[in-house]
Amino acid sequence: DTGVSQDPRHKITKRGQNVTFRCDPISEHNRLYWYRQTLGQGPEFLTYFQNEAQLEKSRLLSDRFSAERPKGSFSTLEIQRTEQGDSAMYLCASSSTGGQFFGPGTRLTVL
Amino acid sequence: EDQVTQSPEALRLQEGESSSLNCSYTVSGLRGLFWYRQDPGKGPEFLFTLYSAGEEKEKERLKATLTKKESFLHITAPKPEDSATYLCAVQATDNFNKFYFGSGTKLNVKP
């Protein structure tokens, strides 16, 4: 399968714990995006990488959130000291030009 | 502020009953408008990219059109398998790094 993959698909954690998600983009895509989506809403932009450089970060992204893309390949999104409001679907997408191709998402539940 | 509004929020059609979904946008300058389909619990699936007013794209029973202020997704003779949430997103000329999504239209096609 040459699509975008995300791991894990589901994560249940307790409030205050740290979590890390991984995204493997389509191999030839140099652009990678992270989004958060809650029920009934469209994806909300979190951050953007071009190769290994993080070029854009949403003002909504608190300092508890950090993302990396070492070597311009896979990316990780870490949430520290999780809160119940962080419960959502976290989506990764990649592109070369034009439209984005999304992964299946990681559903996070914070108890 | 850049904004994307989709209407209606939900649409119920009988199989074979054609209709249109609307996506209106306010951005300083449009670089591209994108349509996606999202099934429950999955990531969005890329459908179309439109770049300029008057442009049209087709795929099976779907046809997307673009004007200076809005886009329409026309569904001709829909089938139950077309049931999904349809999302639109815009990319502005003053910031290529971000995509703004609407909240989607949830389409339900009854047999």
Side-chain angles (χ1 to χ4, degrees):
Chain A
D1 190 339
T2 57
V4 178
S5 61
Q6 293 188 243
D7 184 69
R9 295 291 309 276
H10 303 273
K11 179 70 177 179
I12 299 174
T13 191
K14 292 182 179 179
R15 188 178 54 180
Q17 298 294 305
N18 299 344
V19 295
T20 300
F21 309 142
R22 177 180 171 123
C23 170
D24 286 272
I26 293 171
S27 58
E28 60 266 30
H29 286 178
N30 61 343
R31 299 174 185 176
L32 187 147
Y33 306 80
W34 284 98
Y35 291 87
R36 177 171 61 193
Q37 187 177 28
T38 53
L39 197 63
Q41 299 298 314
E44 176 185 39
F45 172 81
L46 293 179
T47 190
Y48 162 66
F49 290 86
Q50 184 164 322
N51 299 310
E52 66 275 9
Q54 188 174 20
L55 298 185
E56 189 81 30
K57 190 174 175 181
S58 171
R59 286 172 290 177
L60 301 174
L61 212 61
S62 76
D63 57 7
R64 296 185 298 107
F65 288 72
S66 63
E68 293 182 340
R69 193 184 182 195
K71 303 179 183 178
S73 55
F74 72 93
S75 176
T76 57
L77 177 69
E78 181 183 16
I79 309 174
Q80 296 182 326
R81 305 181 303 281
T82 53
E83 302 173 354
Q84 288 185 325
D86 296 331
S87 295
M89 175 78 88
Y90 289 83
L91 293 163
C92 174
S94 70
S95 72
S96 53
T97 59
Q100 303 169 321
F101 293 83
F102 282 82
T106 295
R107 179 164 296 284
L108 173 66
T109 302
V110 181
L111 302 176
Chain B
E1 182 177 308
D2 296 336
Q3 197 167 16
V4 180
T5 304
Q6 291 189 246
S7 61
E9 289 185 9
L11 182 62
R12 301 178 92 181
L13 298 173
Q14 287 296 128
E15 184 172 3
E17 179 187 2
S18 301
S19 188
S20 295
L21 283 54
N22 177 263
C23 171
S24 63
Y25 58 90
T26 53
V27 292
S28 52
L30 181 71
R31 182 169 189 265
L33 185 140
F34 308 84
W35 282 99
Y36 297 85
R37 168 191 171 128
Q38 187 172 28
D39 292 301
K42 296 186 177 182
E45 175 190 345
F46 173 69
L47 293 173
F48 304 112
T49 305
L50 301 166
Y51 290 108
S52 57
E55 190 175 358
E56 298 182 352
K57 293 274 180 73
E58 284 189 70
K59 180 180 179 179
E60 296 180 351
R61 293 176 293 282
L62 300 177
K63 178 180 176 181
T65 62
L66 181 65
T67 71
K68 288 188 177 180
K69 291 295 181 187
E70 58 191 349
S71 177
F72 293 93
L73 185 65
H74 307 277
I75 303 176
T76 302
K79 298 181 178 182
E81 54 261 43
D82 295 322
S83 297
T85 295
Y86 290 85
L87 297 162
C88 76
V90 299
Q91 186 183 30
T93 52
D94 61 356
N95 188 342
F96 290 5
N97 298 338
K98 296 177 70 171
F99 290 75
Y100 300 91
F101 277 82
S103 297
T105 293
K106 187 173 183 178
L107 175 65
N108 185 8
V109 182
K110 297 266 188 185

